[in-house]
Amino acid sequence: MSSTYLFGHKNILGLDHLSVPDIEHILNTAESFREISHRAIKKVPVLRGKTVVTLFFEPSTRTRLSFDIAATRMSADTFSIAASTSSTTKGETLADTARNIEALAPDILVMRHPSSGAPHYLTKHIKTSVINAGDGTHEHPSQGLLDLMTVKEHKGRIAGLKVAIIGDISHSRVAHSDIIGFAKMGAEVFVCGPATLIPREVEKLGATVCSSVEEAVRDADIVMPLRIQKERQADPLIPSFREYAACFGINRKILDTARPDALLMHPGPINRGVELAPDVADSPQAVILDQVTNGVAIRMALMYLVLGGE
Ligand code: CP
């Protein structure tokens, strides 16, 4: 693990705060960690004696398990608290919960929270390193980084690629981290979705808004449909899933208008038959499970680097 680059970030709150050299350093570090998961004994001692606490106030399969596995593979001790079993259900404030966790001397607190900005708020109350595992509709930095890593793995580069992100851009923290990350790394990002699900300010993040899926996907190198996040919509913002699938769903006909070697990505969870037709979800172009696999290496790199590893 030799490098002359000094990382210097104690918290990972979003890709917005990371420079291009930061992102390159995280990707390079993750690439060097990737082979550990293919060893017979999947463990290295780099975080031995360190403690990682994961605090999830929203459901998760991939992110939570991936942080747990990543910490375990680096020999850290990991402990998980779910919202339903934390004392916030008894009226304790988030800051008090975090201060009490900090009194138990963890080294890293990984948090997912339904409120945008909740991990940023925590950093004002505790000194422990905070890694954002998804905050409301704001950012999901480790997902954005694993998406960049997956593209780099398959394409050998990120700069100059056309990335099409389709669907519920407004409520997707993954879309926000991906737009910021891909744009910073020199890709061209195009978004498309129902007008009710495209935020007004999205072009400021670095994306171009397309008026049709055909325009967004044509000659794309990367096609990424997103799940409609019904749980974040107070009132329905699309008429029906059936209509959404007909207008914005990615099927074989649409995907064939992308470049022949285009990658199909999805952050998960997938709603088959809504944003993505089952046959393309399972096609050789889909790298959805590679994204999940790379999540472990990215989270290993993040935890290693925030604790001062070089
Ligand atoms: N991509 C993602 O965040 O998945 P989970 O909600 O399962 O963690």
Side-chain angles (χ1 to χ4, degrees):
M1 256 334 124
S2 68
S3 166
T4 53
Y5 178 78
L6 189 63
F7 188 65
H9 290 271
K10 193 182 97 182
N11 306 303
I12 301 293
L13 303 177
L15 293 198
D16 202 20
H17 303 287
L18 297 177
S19 64
V20 171
D22 288 335
I23 294 172
E24 284 171 347
H25 190 54
I26 294 166
L27 298 182
N28 291 339
T29 307
E31 278 159 18
S32 72
F33 276 133
R34 183 161 41 198
E35 59 86 20
I36 294 166
S37 295
H38 301 296
R39 293 183 189 175
I41 310 248
K42 303 178 182 65
K43 208 159 189 143
V44 290
V46 289
L47 293 189
R48 190 165 52 202
K50 301 293 184 188
T51 302
V52 176
V53 172
T54 58
L55 177 59
F56 275 59
F57 289 90
E58 280 189 350
S60 169
T61 299
R62 283 146 285 263
T63 310
R64 184 166 162 178
L65 188 56
S66 179
F67 269 110
D68 274 347
I69 288 175
T72 305
R73 291 205 174 144
M74 294 191 295
S75 305
D77 297 306
T78 66
F79 301 89
S80 296
I81 312 172
S84 57
T85 55
S86 86
S87 287
T88 53
T89 58
K90 300 178 197 164
E92 187 173 67
T93 66
L94 179 61
D96 279 336
T97 297
R99 282 195 206 100
N100 278 271
I101 293 171
E102 184 165 69
L104 301 169
D107 297 284
I108 300 176
L109 182 59
V110 177
M111 187 176 76
R112 170 170 288 187
H113 199 279
S115 299
S116 299
H120 309 65
Y121 172 75
L122 274 201
T123 63
K124 309 279 183 274
H125 293 273
I126 59 173
K127 293 191 179 68
T128 308
S129 285
V130 175
I131 300 183
N132 178 8
D135 63 320
T137 61
H138 176 237
E139 276 222 48
H140 191 345
S142 59
Q143 179 73 41
L145 290 161
L146 72 88
D147 288 345
L148 291 172
M149 182 176 180
T150 305
V151 169
K152 201 172 156 215
E153 178 188 7
H154 285 274
K155 295 283 177 197
R157 68 189 169 103
I158 297 166
L161 298 179
K162 176 178 178 180
V163 179
I165 304 178
I166 312 298
D168 185 354
I169 309 296
S170 290
H171 299 99
S172 173
R173 53 197 174 208
V174 176
H176 299 149
S177 289
D178 275 347
I179 292 167
I180 294 166
F182 279 108
K184 273 192 184 180
M185 300 307 284
E188 281 190 285
V189 187
F190 295 83
V191 298
C192 181
T196 47
L197 298 175
I198 302 290
R200 285 207 182 95
E201 306 277 294
V202 71
E203 293 191 332
K204 286 193 185 156
L205 295 180
T208 301
V209 179
C210 297
S211 52
S212 69
V213 177
E214 288 75 12
E215 183 190 345
V217 172
R218 192 181 309 124
D219 297 325
D221 298 283
I222 311 295
V223 179
M224 187 187 297
L226 300 171
R227 182 176 68 87
I228 297 289
Q229 306 212 3
K230 278 254 180 197
E231 72 275 19
R232 299 192 202 283
Q233 298 178 16
D235 297 312
L237 295 173
I238 55 168
S240 69
F241 281 143
R242 184 189 290 209
E243 193 161 328
Y244 179 83
C247 297
F248 296 99
I250 299 299
N251 53 34
R252 175 46 60 197
K253 188 167 166 232
I254 294 287
L255 192 58
D256 280 347
T257 66
R259 289 177 60 87
D261 59 351
L263 302 178
L264 176 72
M265 302 179 73
H266 194 301
I270 297 172
N271 286 168
R272 285 174 182 261
V274 182
E275 73 272 15
L276 190 54
D279 61 319
V280 292
D282 299 325
S283 73
Q285 277 173 282
V287 293
I288 297 166
L289 296 180
D290 294 357
Q291 292 171 259
V292 178
T293 302
N294 285 334
V296 173
I298 283 291
R299 286 157 184 142
M300 287 173 85
L302 290 177
M303 289 188 275
Y304 178 72
L305 292 171
V306 296
L307 293 183
E310 278 304 330

